[in-house]
Structure formats: structure tokens, C-alpha cells
Amino acid sequence: TGASPPLLLLEERALASNPNVAVAQARGLGLQVGAWTVNELDEMKRLIGLQLDAICTDRPDLLKTLE
């Protein structure tokens, strides 16, 4: 099997303005996109809406409630 594309982890605040542009640019380069460190439920919801490949958090209990 082929290897997964590299993962670009962006700090949460880097996705605050023009997140769709940042995600599209990274994906255009063949990268997966994730965010760190996301600990607020509303922010988790917003980033899930961007269809990120990964979310790093200190609050996995909150993130799990969104499954």
C-alpha cells in the first residue's frame, strides 16, 4: 500500500482567518491538514466543518462527544 500524504498541523489560530484558503492551499500541495491545540467545543465543531484530517486536543472527552 502507498504511504499517506504528509500531515500539515496548523496552530488553531492560523485557521482563524480565511481557513478555507489555507486548507485548500495545503491540499493543493498534496498535504493532509490538521489543527492543534483545539480545546473548545465550538472551535472543534468549526474545524470539523472544514473537514480537517486531524485535530489535536487536550480534551479528547469533548471531541468524542461530536462523533
Side-chain angles (χ1 to χ4, degrees), residues 3 6-7 12-13 17 20-21 29 41 48 53 60:
L7 175 64
E12 174 186 0
R13 62 183 162 185
S17 63
N20 292 323
V21 172
L29 295 171
L41 189 60
I48 287 171
D53 301 293

Side-chain angles (χ1 to χ4, degrees), residues 39-51:
N39 292 321
E40 300 294 328
L41 189 60
D42 288 340
E43 188 64 3
M44 290 175 182
K45 290 177 185 177
R46 184 181 78 82
L47 294 174
I48 287 171
L50 294 175
Q51 300 180 335

Side-chain angles (χ1 to χ4, degrees), residues 7-16 33-40 43 46-47 52 54-58:
L7 175 64
L8 173 65
L9 282 176
L10 298 171
E11 190 173 359
E12 174 186 0
R13 62 183 162 185
L15 292 165
V33 183
W36 64 277
T37 299
V38 184
N39 292 321
E40 300 294 328
E43 188 64 3
R46 184 181 78 82
L47 294 174
L52 297 184
I55 294 177
C56 297
T57 181
D58 295 325

